[in-house]
Amino acid sequence: MPILGHDMLRVEFEKLKIGGGRIEVSLRPTIENLRLGEMPLPSGRVKGIEVDVRYDVLYSPEVARASIKLRVFYVPRDKEKIDEILDEWEEKKVLPGELVAEVVNYTTSELMPLMMHLAKEMRIPYPVPLPRAVVKE
C-alpha cells in the first residue's frame, strides 16, 4: 500500500441547532497541498509525498458542521515519479488518479470510526447511514 501513515492536524465538530425531519449528509474530501517529505523507518528513511487533506462533513439543513485536517504520507508505486507528481501539482494543480483514489479511500477508512464516535457523543446524525433491520409481515 502506498500510504505509510498519517498525522491528524485538526478536528472540529460543532452542533449548530436541533433539527427534525430529513437531514442529508455529504462527505467532501479535499486535497489542499502536496510537498516532498521523508519518513524514518527501521530500514532507513523513505522519500515520499506529504499530502494535506481536509475532510468536511456537510449537513443539509445545517444542523452541524464537521471538519478534519490531516497529513498523509504517500509513496507512489514507482518512486521515480515523486518529482514528476510534485512538478505537475506546482504547475497545474493536477493529481494522478491513483494518488487521489488511494488518499481518499485511506482517509475515509481511517476517519470514519472517529467521525461516527464524535457524531454519537454529540447526538448529531452519523456521516454515513447505518443498516437497519426491518420486520416484514
Side-chain angles (χ1 to χ4, degrees), residues 33-53:
N33 195 23
L34 270 71
R35 73 181 137 285
L36 183 63
E38 283 188 345
M39 179 178 261
L41 295 176
S43 60
R45 297 181 93 50
V46 174
K47 183 178 165 185
I49 300 171
E50 292 180 349
V51 183
D52 290 338
V53 182

Side-chain angles (χ1 to χ4, degrees), residues 85-102:
I85 291 169
L86 291 171
D87 290 342
E88 197 168 354
W89 172 256
E90 287 296 320
E91 293 171 12
K92 304 175 190 172
K93 298 294 184 205
V94 175
L95 297 170
E98 182 179 309
L99 181 146
V100 174
E102 289 283 348

